[in-house]
Amino acid sequence: MFYIGIDIGGTKCRVSLAKETTGGLEFIAFGERHVTADYSPDEMLETLLADVNELTKKAGEKPAAIGISCGSPMDQKQGLILSPPHLPGWDNIPIVAFFQDALGIPTFLENDANAGALAEWKYGAGKGANHVIFITAGTGFGAGLILNGKLYTGATGMAGEIGHVRWAFSGNKYPGYGKESSIEGGCSGTGIAEIAKGMIRDELEKGRCLPAWADIEKLTAESVGAAAERGDPLALKIYAQVGKNWGHSVSMLIDVFSPELIVMGSIFVRRRNELLPHMERVIREETLAITRNVCRVVPAVLGEEIGNYAAITVGIYGLEQSGAN
């Protein structure tokens, strides 16, 4: 059977076509990467529908399901995208009905953290485990929960939104997810840039000369990470702080859910060397030994293609859970 995946991102949107093989997915074709900001929501939906029709022709048969991965908030049961902060204008978009009505194909919607959790659990680092937490850290910071061999979404579909939790650490002023001192503000890519700006300003106020950090308003997590990779002392200090922040977040998840695996995606995969030692130190200090000793923290393995895997897997898992296949 063939499956269609639709990855709706704040930067780009893309359609993919794949079929399930023994132990994995085989991608058959991809649509064009469409820059999200270049389209209104209605224009993007029509463009993606055209891509779905084109890829369906290549499959030579009607796909079994369509999976859609998108940032929260959303109403999975009603198939609605509900004004994600990184998708301006995407307000109450009935995306499931749009594709299902146009194509007559079962269509399923999940947030990107849950979709990533499904993909890494079925085809990646979490394969074979029953209790897996997947963490995605990009513009935002969220978790997808696989508990007892099943995706756990809670009563509203918002389970795992760890970025929304507020820290109570003295002096922590990281903004994010609408809350000062939120975990997202201290752990996300956006948060890394803000932490860097704050540390650099502190150093400048102390009279230090920092020619390498002259244009702080253009800082990104990527540029700070590149500086850390070059061994810049201040960049390493910034990532040490972020690693501690991640350690506190992961420690909470370990003690609350007692998973076998914490699968870390996005920034962690690229900056593991700078983050992991500081994370591990906090985890050793904060977690209960009985939960810590059965849990491993590992990098995600699906890499830059995880958005495509995630969307396809939403369709496969949704069809399995509906009993329609």
Side-chain angles (χ1 to χ4, degrees):
M1 291 190 292
F2 291 92
Y3 297 89
I4 290 285
I6 303 174
D7 181 23
I8 307 286
T11 303
K12 64 174 180 61
C13 299
R14 196 183 196 192
V15 176
S16 57
L17 172 71
K19 64 180 179 180
E20 201 170 21
T21 62
T22 303
L25 290 179
E26 179 184 347
F27 283 91
I28 308 301
F30 298 95
E32 182 183 342
R33 287 186 175 92
H34 302 291
V35 177
T36 310
D38 290 348
Y39 300 78
S40 71
D42 288 344
E43 290 169 342
M44 182 61 82
L45 292 186
E46 292 292 343
T47 300
L48 295 173
L49 177 60
D51 289 350
V52 171
N53 283 322
E54 184 63 30
L55 294 191
T56 298
K57 291 178 185 176
K58 293 183 179 181
E61 63 182 72
K62 191 174 184 178
I66 295 172
I68 303 170
S69 171
C70 181
S72 284
M74 63 177 55
D75 184 333
Q76 289 96 324
K77 292 181 181 178
Q78 298 299 317
L80 300 173
I81 296 175
L82 303 174
S83 306
H86 310 307
L87 287 170
W90 289 67
D91 306 321
N92 299 307
I93 304 296
I95 192 166
V96 167
F98 175 84
F99 285 101
Q100 205 158 257
D101 293 349
L103 301 166
I105 299 171
T107 303
F108 304 92
L109 172 67
E110 262 306 340
N111 71 59
D112 49 7
N114 288 349
L118 286 170
E120 284 287 344
W121 172 51
K122 277 185 165 286
Y123 307 112
K127 191 173 180 180
N130 285 318
H131 311 283
V132 179
I133 296 176
F134 170 74
I135 293 179
T136 179
T139 307
F141 190 86
L145 311 174
I146 304 295
L147 305 178
N148 294 320
K150 192 173 181 179
L151 178 66
Y152 180 77
T153 59
T156 63
M158 295 287 283
E161 290 287 354
I162 188 175
H164 190 234
V165 175
R166 192 195 301 273
W167 271 320
F169 301 158
S170 175
N172 175 3
K173 298 296 182 182
Y174 308 133
Y177 211 107
K179 286 182 179 178
E180 189 176 77
S181 302
S182 72
I183 284 177
E184 180 177 290
C187 295
S188 67
T190 306
I192 290 171
E194 292 304 314
I195 291 167
K197 291 173 187 177
M199 285 191 176
I200 291 166
R201 290 189 183 107
D202 287 345
E203 293 296 319
L204 292 173
E205 287 175 4
K206 294 174 185 176
R208 287 196 60 192
C209 180
L210 300 172
W213 302 95
D215 196 352
I216 64 173
E217 294 309 318
K218 291 185 178 180
L219 282 177
T220 63
E222 184 177 3
S223 64
V224 177
E229 194 171 342
R230 295 193 300 268
D232 182 275
L234 184 54
L236 291 172
K237 182 179 178 182
I238 292 163
Y239 267 87
Q241 180 60 60
V242 175
K244 293 173 187 175
N245 294 346
W246 281 35
H248 283 288
S249 305
V250 168
S251 294
M252 180 171 59
L253 292 170
I254 290 172
D255 276 346
V256 170
F257 294 107
S258 189
E260 299 163 75
L261 289 173
I262 301 277
V263 180
M264 307 289 294
S266 310
I267 293 169
F268 180 84
V269 175
R270 298 187 288 272
R271 298 295 166 216
R272 182 182 179 186
N273 292 338
E274 290 83 12
L275 291 164
L276 187 58
H278 308 287
M279 283 180 60
E280 289 181 328
R281 189 174 304 114
V282 173
I283 291 169
R284 286 193 299 270
E285 294 170 353
E286 293 292 328
T287 55
L288 297 171
I290 193 170
T291 52
R292 178 176 68 248
N293 291 340
V294 299
C295 180
R296 292 185 294 124
V297 177
V298 300
V301 299
L302 296 179
E304 298 302 322
E305 292 302 315
I306 191 167
N308 297 317
Y309 272 92
I312 292 287
T313 311
V314 167
I316 294 172
Y317 184 79
L319 201 63
E320 290 171 350
Q321 294 303 302
S322 72
N325 60 340

